[in-house]
């Protein structure tokens, strides 16, 4: 039986298992559902055991558990592949906007609705179907590569214990490549691979002036105004070409290569349609880059909010005592969040007028960007596997945000390869989350071919 036939034959069994898992409300951000996250981990462990993994373990953390599994290759010299995903899900609010209960998985046409269907339970589970299909097609008792799974339970609440979990189990997680199945494709009829994700750091800036609000007739124009200073500070973040004007901000940035930019340009991107989705009438950004390049390849500085002084009804003629702003920075490979924080602090402090005091509060250490090596044998193998499954060329995309992928690459010292079949229209993190079942089956087929292709890279 070939891979595709096996997958089609076992489609209903696969979907039945997925629905069972989706019915568990494993919301990691809600303490009221932490027992459900643990129940989800136990369900996955039992399913992996039934799939045939000889080693399956639930790994506890100071928070919520992850699941580890390993199926060694028959050849001890074969490559080792680690598959990463997560079994926790987002909260479901606002519940009234769901057409069907979020934890009652419901099929409508080719879509399967339920929280976690696309992000990320469906995309974790297709690997088990793909592995069984690969074994059935080859008649082997073990995969051509050693397959490890690490499925965490806190991704949707910041992966707060994940890096330490990997460090503590570094030897057990040793691998030649890490496969990430927690992203999206361009479209159902335009398969693509994510080859990079931006990082993030954010800051709240406060400028403090007089000890109290002052009468603008008595003091205006004679003492520094925190809101005026904040306005100038924020306006100075970008130059006239849309480039971020913080000194040293671009130091170390790894520029995308010509091949990747060419593949991005081949995507069927409709800028007018995109603008309609954004409810905007114009694009803006760093000069010399397309819209897709701006949201995937380039760092950004966004003013998220600004406040201070009088904001109520009517006038109030004052010099406000303070001004505040929230700013976030999307980062690209080569930028370290803590280094960017230092650059931002220097930029702000250099522009604070005498008589004002700056206070900066960063939202934690930030998230590092990550990217795949487009020339690596592992990426070429994954791309070939997806092209075999979909029967069409696979293009490249990136994503604007990220999770713990950079930590995976750094701690495990392994290149990242993204194999995923979610869609932007899957309503990830929103009401009525769904996944397209034909794409899940293509994901399983891609996974089946992936082991074969990676086995040939040894």
């Amino acid at each position: 039986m070939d891979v595709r036939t096996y997958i089609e034959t076992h489609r209903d069994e696969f979907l039945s298992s997925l629905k069972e898992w989706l019915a568990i409300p494993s919301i990691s951000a809600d303490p009221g559902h932490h027992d459900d996250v643990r129940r989800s981990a136990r369900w996955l462990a039992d399913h992996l055991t039934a799939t045939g993994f000889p080693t399956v373990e639930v790994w506890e953390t100071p928070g919520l558990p992850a699941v580890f599994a390993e199926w060694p290759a028959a050849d001890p010299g074969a490559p080792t592949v680690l598959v990463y995903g997560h079994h926790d899900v987002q909260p479901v609010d606002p519940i009234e906007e769901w057409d069907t209960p979020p934890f009652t998985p419901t099929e409508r046409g080719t879509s399967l609705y339920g929280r976690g269907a696309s992000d990320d339970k469906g995309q974790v589970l297709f690997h088990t179907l793909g592995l069984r299909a690969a074994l059935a097609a080859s008649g082997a008792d073990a995969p051509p590569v050693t397959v490890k799974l690490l499925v965490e339970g806190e991704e949707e609440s910041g992966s707060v214990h994940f890096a330490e979990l990997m460090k503590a189990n570094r030897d057990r997680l040793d691998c030649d490549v890490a496969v990430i199945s927690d992203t999206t494709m361009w479209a159902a009829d335009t398969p693509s691979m994510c080859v990079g994700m931006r990082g993030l750091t954010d800051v709240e800036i406060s400028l403090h002036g007089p000890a109290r609000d002052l009468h603008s007739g008595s003091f205006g124009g004679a003492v520094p105004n925190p809101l005026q200073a904040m306005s100038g500070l924020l306006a100075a973040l970008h130059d006239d070409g849309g480039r971020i004007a913080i000194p040293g901000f671009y130091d170390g940035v790894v520029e995308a290569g010509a091949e990747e930019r060419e593949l991005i340009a081949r995507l069927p991107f409709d800028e007018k349609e995109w603008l309609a989705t954004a409810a905007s009438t114009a694009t803006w950004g760093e000069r010399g880059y397309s819209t897709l390049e701006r949201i995937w390849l380039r760092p950004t500085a966004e003013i998220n909010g600004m406040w201070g002084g009088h904001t109520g009804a009517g006038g109030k003629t004052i010099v406000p005592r303070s001004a505040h702003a929230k700013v976030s920075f999307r980062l690209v490979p080569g930028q370290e969040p803590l280094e960017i924080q230092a650059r931002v602090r220097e930029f702000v402090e250099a522009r604070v007028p005498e008589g004002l005091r700056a206070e900066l509060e960063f939202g934690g250490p930030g998230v590092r960007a990550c990217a795949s090596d487009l020339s690596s044998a592992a990426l070429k193998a994954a791309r070939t596997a997806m092209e075999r499954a979909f029967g069409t060329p696979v293009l490249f995309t990136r994503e604007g945000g990220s999770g713990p992928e950079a930590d995976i690459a750094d701690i495990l010292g392994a290149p990242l390869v993204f194999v995923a079949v979610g869609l932007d229209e899957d309503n990830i993190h929103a009401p009525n989350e769904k996944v397209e079942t034909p794409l899940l089956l293509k994901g399983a087929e891609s996974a089946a071919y992936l082991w074969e292709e990676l086995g040939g890279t040894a």
Side-chain angles (χ1 to χ4, degrees), residues 194-198 260 296 333 370-372 397-401 418:
C194 175
V195 294
M197 307 177 85
R198 290 194 296 188
E260 183 176 357
W296 289 344
C370 65
S372 300
T397 64
R398 291 201 190 191
E399 295 203 354
F418 296 80

Side-chain angles (χ1 to χ4, degrees), residues 211-277:
R212 63 183 185 278
D213 292 347
L214 300 176
H215 190 294
S216 67
S218 301
F219 298 95
V223 296
N225 183 311
L227 271 172
Q228 181 179 350
M230 182 69 80
S231 299
L233 172 67
L234 298 180
L237 282 172
H238 298 88
D239 65 19
D240 291 341
R243 187 176 173 86
I244 297 163
I246 297 173
F249 188 84
Y250 292 90
D251 289 356
V253 165
V254 178
E255 302 287 346
E259 178 190 5
E260 183 176 357
R261 294 186 73 177
E262 189 274 329
L263 287 172
I264 289 174
R266 284 168 53 186
L267 291 165
F269 177 64
D270 186 323
E271 192 162 274
K272 290 184 178 179
E273 183 178 315
W274 181 85
L275 279 171
T277 302

Side-chain angles (χ1 to χ4, degrees), residues 36-56:
D36 292 315
V37 180
R38 295 184 178 94
R39 187 157 58 96
S40 170
R42 186 70 262 164
W43 185 96
L44 177 58
D46 291 343
H47 180 79
L48 294 174
T49 298
T51 297
F53 279 86
T55 299
V56 180

Side-chain angles (χ1 to χ4, degrees), residues 87-101:
H87 66 92
D88 64 319
V89 301
Q90 279 277 313
V92 297
D93 304 301
I95 189 67
E96 65 274 9
E97 294 186 13
W98 285 80
D99 295 332
T100 54

